[in-house]
Amino acid sequence: ASAGTGKTFALAGLVTRYIAEGVATLDQMLLITFSRAATQELRDRVRRQISDAYRAFDDPTVAGDNQVIAHLLDGPAAELAARKERLGDALAGFDAATIATIHQFCNLVLTSLGVAGDADAGVELVESLDELIVEIVDDLYLSRFGKERDEPPLPYKRALKIAREVVANPSTELRPSDPEPDSYAGASIDFAKAVRVEIETRKRRQGILGYDDLLSRLADALKDEDSPARQRMSERWPIVMVDEFQDTDPVQWQVIDRAFNRAASGASTLVLIGDPKQAIYSFRGGDLHTYLNAADTAGHKQTMQTNWRTDAALVD
């Protein structure tokens, strides 16, 4: 679904249908997106769609040209009354909806899984690891290049940028795989590897976790096919929807795939929606290969082809 084709609107419509038609209650659905701002927008859009559908049973003009609501208003009187009641219940208990970023979701799951999720109550979750990264870079840079008489092969500012990159994106591949030992590339690769080792050592020593650690811990907890975590998650959320899926990185997809796509007790209904063209934004963590690999697992595919954000006259 390209930009402007209504991805978020489509998800909100699906949620509304699932509730109204009795497929699932709101608390049985998990909606994931990739930023806090997008999460808030998704929450607002879902609530508005459910509210509009609920009001339309008393005033059909509310539906306007909304085809989802028009579909829900079509049926026997008894079924329409049941749909309205289900939507009313969903609005009354809307706070039970799990609409979260991938990191919020991982934190929620690890906390609820306890031993099965490898959670450690004594570990503190920190929003930023930047102070620790700077400390590590200062120490490693001094120990490696402090006695250099000549200009070091790796400038300090570049070393700091590399360190932030490998910590922020743990799945980033380090290339070239076999650089010349005394080259800039060789110094960069060695420094990046040292940062990866040191950041883990110091996090354990200080008893802290970063948000990406939540992902890797949950992925580990879901690794075995018969893991209790897989079964619990698929039972807890039989319907899972992921918005802006092109922003998913390999570890995030690993979590979603293991928990809901290959769960031992039977997979959940998993809806992924995104725009592969936007996966070129690698600085946001997007990964086109992850998107394509996930698409290959889909049992059903749809394309949204109408752009609602512009019209023919503007394009012309």
Side-chain angles (χ1 to χ4, degrees):
S2 297
T5 53
K7 294 188 284 289
T8 306
F9 182 86
L11 282 188
L14 276 175
V15 172
T16 304
R17 277 196 63 187
Y18 279 133
I19 293 168
E21 295 175 353
V23 177
T25 56
L26 187 58
D27 66 318
Q28 292 177 313
M29 288 184 265
L30 168 65
L31 279 71
I32 297 173
T33 189
F34 290 89
S35 73
R36 293 182 181 180
T39 299
Q40 187 57 49
E41 181 191 358
L42 183 57
R43 180 176 290 274
D44 292 344
R45 296 280 286 276
V46 168
R47 184 175 198 134
R48 195 182 318 145
Q49 182 86 291
I50 295 172
S51 177
D52 288 349
Y54 177 75
R55 290 188 297 117
F57 284 93
D58 294 324
D59 179 9
T61 61
V62 171
D65 60 355
N66 188 315
Q67 294 178 350
V68 173
I69 297 178
H71 168 79
L72 294 176
L73 294 177
D74 183 23
E79 175 59 22
L80 296 186
R83 289 175 183 174
K84 181 184 177 183
E85 182 178 0
R86 293 175 193 132
L87 291 169
D89 290 343
L91 285 174
F94 192 79
D95 288 343
T98 308
I99 303 174
T101 67
I102 187 75
H103 295 110
Q104 290 169 337
F105 157 67
C106 288
N107 194 26
L108 169 69
V109 170
L110 283 169
T111 303
S112 63
L113 287 175
V115 175
D118 189 28
D120 186 346
V123 173
E124 178 188 0
L125 180 64
V126 295
E127 189 146 340
S128 173
L129 293 169
D130 199 61
E131 283 188 20
L132 183 58
I133 294 169
V134 172
E135 177 187 299
I136 289 170
V137 170
D138 287 348
D139 292 345
L140 289 177
Y141 198 85
L142 187 61
S143 66
R144 285 170 176 252
F145 306 118
K147 296 180 180 179
E148 291 269 352
R149 291 182 179 272
D150 301 322
E151 187 73 19
L154 178 63
Y156 174 83
K157 287 185 178 180
R158 187 64 186 171
L160 183 58
K161 183 176 182 180
I162 288 171
R164 285 174 171 150
E165 181 71 24
V166 295
V167 173
N169 299 289
S171 59
T172 298
E173 291 184 36
L174 301 178
R175 297 176 182 167
S177 56
D178 189 23
E180 291 291 329
D182 297 325
S183 65
Y184 166 75
S188 299
I189 297 288
D190 287 346
F191 198 85
K193 289 178 178 177
V195 168
R196 281 182 169 173
V197 172
E198 192 63 22
I199 192 82
E200 295 305 321
T201 301
R202 298 197 190 191
K203 281 190 297 188
R204 283 195 296 271
R205 188 186 303 154
Q206 296 181 22
I208 60 175
L209 281 179
Y211 282 107
D212 286 314
D213 297 313
L214 297 175
L215 286 163
S216 55
R217 281 197 171 200
L218 188 51
D220 288 343
L222 296 165
K223 184 166 56 178
D224 297 331
E225 288 190 14
D226 59 349
S227 96
R230 284 196 190 195
Q231 183 167 343
R232 287 191 209 176
M233 289 172 68
S234 62
E235 289 174 353
R236 171 68 181 83
W237 291 293
I239 294 177
V240 180
M241 303 184 193
V242 185
D243 196 10
E244 302 294 355
F245 185 71
Q246 74 277 352
D247 290 342
T248 309
D249 68 29
V251 181
Q252 292 167 350
W253 169 238
Q254 204 171 55
V255 168
I256 295 167
D257 185 39
R258 289 174 176 176
F260 304 115
N261 212 24
R262 306 178 192 277
S265 60
S268 303
T269 295
L270 178 60
V271 179
L272 311 173
I273 187 165
D275 179 5
K277 295 184 292 302
Q278 293 183 46
I280 62 172
Y281 298 132
S282 58
F283 62 87
R284 291 195 321 207
D287 187 311
L288 183 58
H289 296 292
T290 298
Y291 186 102
L292 296 175
N293 289 338
D296 286 341
T297 73
H300 189 68
K301 299 180 184 180
Q302 290 281 357
T303 299
M304 298 170 66
Q305 297 179 339
T306 302
N307 189 310
W308 301 96
R309 197 173 290 169
T310 186
D311 57 26
L314 179 59
V315 173
D316 290 344

